[in-house]
Amino acid sequence: MNFFNIGLPEMALILVLALLIFGPKKLPEIGRSLGKAIRGFQEASKEFETEFKKEADRLEKTVNQPMKATLETPEPKALAPTAAETTTETESVGDASVESSDRPQES
């Protein structure tokens, strides 16, 4: 039996020392609490491992999915009128003079 690289003689010595220090009445209680602590640590490590694997699988699926390449067409910007378009010109038609511009006129 090679538990934590401790052989059988070393394990027996540790148990005898524990029996002398804590006494026969406290030793089972200490063993129970130590067992509960080890069990809790094992459960926590398993839970951590499963969460880690879930996250790794999720990231792997995200990385392995092909990317969808789409081209976006830019929306035409509303062009601001240039200086030439905003100036009004005066045209003469017959006897009356009429103002005209490139902008649509309201009727």
Side-chain angles (χ1 to χ4, degrees):
M1 180 169 132
N2 197 0
F3 190 68
F4 294 119
N5 288 332
I6 298 175
L8 189 60
E10 291 90 1
M11 187 70 79
L13 180 64
I14 292 171
L15 287 175
V16 169
L17 286 175
L19 184 61
L20 289 174
I21 293 172
F22 298 111
K25 291 183 181 179
K26 280 283 197 180
L27 206 54
E29 187 179 318
I30 292 171
R32 255 191 307 275
S33 64
L34 185 62
K36 287 180 183 179
I38 290 173
R39 191 176 319 118
F41 178 74
Q42 287 175 342
E43 288 174 2
S45 68
K46 284 180 183 177
E47 183 180 339
F48 175 75
E49 186 177 346
T50 55
E51 288 295 321
F52 186 77
K53 284 182 180 179
K54 278 187 209 175
E55 192 65 25
D57 289 341
R58 187 186 67 78
L59 287 174
E60 187 176 332
K61 286 178 184 177
T62 303
V63 169
N64 289 338
Q65 286 179 349
M67 293 181 64
K68 295 179 183 176
T70 57
L71 294 176
E72 295 180 4
T73 57
E75 294 181 16
K77 294 182 180 177
L79 299 175
T82 60
E85 293 174 344
T86 57
T87 59
T88 53
E89 299 173 3
T90 305
E91 298 176 3
S92 45
V93 178
D95 291 341
S97 61
V98 178
E99 285 188 12
S100 69
S101 71
D102 290 341
R103 288 184 282 163
Q105 296 179 359
E106 295 180 12
S107 300

